[in-house]
Amino acid sequence: MRVLITCPPMYALKDKIEQNFLRYGIDVIFPNIVQTMKESQLIEIIHEFDGWIIGDDPATRCVFEKGSKGKLKAAVKWGVGVDNVDFSACAEFGILVDHTPNMFGNEVADLAIGYLIGLARESYFIDRQVRAGYWPKNRGISLDNKVVGLIGYGDIGRQVAKRIKALGMQLVIYDPQYMQSENAHIKAEKWPDKIENCDFLIFTCSLNKYNHHMMDRKEMEQCKNGVRVINVARGALINESELICSLKNNKVHSVALDVFEIEPLPKDSYLIAHPYSILGSHNASNTVEAVERTNKIAIEKLLKFLGEN
């Protein structure tokens, strides 16, 4: 049997993973990728594999249909986000599929708070200036009693909320799951109500067909002047072109983005030129502990599907 792995964080442990699968006589292929494979590339090869550990690749109906005409029996989505996987197509074509939920709450929350402090004190900008030979004395903003709009109250959102409260900040939570429940331990607002009160916005929710570009021109116009925006979820939650406009006219003070609408981020993006912004590489979950933990679960699930565990 052969297994395809297209999840970049797993590549650092390639030798260990290969040995793990070889115990069951399974060959593992790691294609040369930066972030994801294209749908056309997957369609060319997917039928040659019995199993697939999916990263953020377009795991579409067309891909699974081609796989079902060949050897593909099972797939596991590595990580929390599943917006790129067509689960209904797997059911239609008889392909077993699963994912690894609730893996990275602490890790992603840690990075979100690092971003928040960096934007508040402009520490990343100061670092770049000092390296260039300057000695800036930027005035940041204090965190105490500032308001954070937290979009998404799942595993990651709850971990962010714990850290926000410890910093003495106020929270406005947006999550439709909690809006209608009188017994919920939190009270969520309807997006984007009260957005004008927020000094920071932190996106931690999953992406679906209902919240694509939930942060668009209308929502940005409602924001407080100088709002700081953090996204550790999915790039398409925010209309990137409108966000760039808001940065240029100073409606948005700065952004910290680990995810983008196009990944890797195009080299000519204005976001790269904006001096006060922080840019990541879709890497919020990537710690030694989190990757090893998720690798173990993803591999175990795939081996079970393939009848080897």
Side-chain angles (χ1 to χ4, degrees):
M1 285 194 289
R2 302 177 78 214
V3 165
L4 176 68
I5 294 181
T6 57
C7 175
M10 297 184 76
Y11 280 48
L13 297 170
K14 179 180 176 181
D15 292 343
K16 182 178 178 180
I17 291 168
E18 287 176 340
Q19 290 301 314
N20 198 334
F21 277 103
L22 279 175
R23 290 163 48 202
Y24 301 94
I26 299 173
D27 291 326
V28 181
I29 304 299
F30 289 84
N32 184 20
I33 59 174
V34 176
Q35 181 66 35
T36 62
M37 293 187 70
K38 296 179 180 179
E39 182 185 48
S40 59
Q41 294 173 318
L42 287 163
I43 289 172
E44 286 182 5
I45 65 171
I46 194 63
H47 61 285
E48 301 172 1
F49 295 92
D50 301 88
W52 179 20
I53 297 182
I54 307 166
D56 292 316
D57 317 272
T60 63
R61 187 182 188 280
C62 292
V63 173
F64 286 123
E65 183 177 17
K66 181 64 178 293
S68 70
K69 294 178 179 178
K71 299 171 60 180
L72 191 65
K73 305 178 187 71
V76 175
K77 169 63 173 71
W78 191 100
V80 178
V82 295
D83 52 282
N84 59 307
V85 181
D86 192 333
F87 285 88
S88 60
C90 289
E92 179 183 348
F93 298 121
I95 297 169
L96 300 171
V97 66
D98 202 350
H99 69 301
T100 58
N102 302 325
M103 286 286 102
F104 311 124
N106 284 309
E107 288 78 14
V108 178
D110 289 345
L111 184 66
I113 296 303
Y115 281 167
L116 182 144
I117 295 171
L119 293 183
R121 301 301 300 272
E122 300 178 11
S123 57
Y124 291 78
F125 170 80
I126 293 170
D127 171 80
R128 291 190 286 262
Q129 291 291 295
V130 171
R131 290 173 188 273
Y134 302 101
W135 199 247
K137 295 291 183 180
N138 291 47
R139 288 192 303 167
I141 60 171
S142 300
L143 297 181
D144 188 54
N145 217 35
K146 291 294 191 298
V147 180
V148 176
L150 181 59
I151 301 93
Y153 200 67
D155 180 42
I156 295 170
R158 288 192 292 273
Q159 295 301 328
V160 171
K162 285 168 55 177
R163 290 157 173 77
I164 290 295
K165 292 174 183 176
L167 291 169
M169 306 181 78
Q170 299 181 43
L171 268 176
V172 178
I173 293 171
Y174 300 99
D175 193 317
Q177 178 181 347
Y178 293 93
M179 282 184 56
Q180 306 301 324
S181 175
E182 296 179 359
N183 298 320
H185 63 287
I186 60 111
K187 182 181 183 300
E189 300 293 338
K190 181 181 179 182
W191 174 261
D193 292 353
K194 300 185 179 180
I195 195 175
E196 67 276 5
N197 298 331
C198 297
D199 301 286
F200 296 86
L201 295 172
I202 303 180
F203 288 82
T204 65
C205 62
S206 59
L207 176 66
N208 57 56
K209 63 182 179 180
Y210 303 107
N211 63 12
H212 181 269
H213 282 185
M214 65 184 296
M215 184 73 170
D216 212 330
R217 178 184 297 182
K218 179 181 176 182
E219 289 76 24
M220 292 180 203
E221 289 175 349
Q222 289 179 247
C223 285
K224 177 184 292 190
N225 290 336
V227 67
R228 292 156 166 85
V229 178
I230 298 165
N231 190 357
V232 290
R234 286 290 186 265
L237 294 167
I238 301 174
N239 185 330
E240 209 165 275
S241 61
E242 292 297 337
L243 181 63
I244 288 171
C245 289
S246 294
L247 283 166
K248 287 180 176 179
N249 64 26
N250 297 316
K251 180 69 174 181
V252 174
H253 174 273
S254 51
V255 297
L257 307 174
D258 188 53
V259 289
F260 307 91
E261 292 202 72
I262 299 174
E263 297 179 352
L265 183 66
K267 293 180 180 179
D268 61 351
S269 171
Y270 172 77
L271 294 170
I272 294 173
H274 191 267
Y276 296 104
S277 295
I278 307 167
L279 307 179
S281 58
H282 202 141
N283 203 49
S285 62
N286 196 2
T287 69
V288 171
E289 297 85 354
V291 169
E292 290 188 353
R293 184 171 66 238
T294 309
N295 285 355
K296 181 176 183 293
I297 292 174
I299 291 169
E300 286 176 351
K301 288 187 174 187
L302 188 62
L303 287 173
K304 185 174 182 180
F305 281 157
L306 296 176
E308 298 294 339
N309 194 6

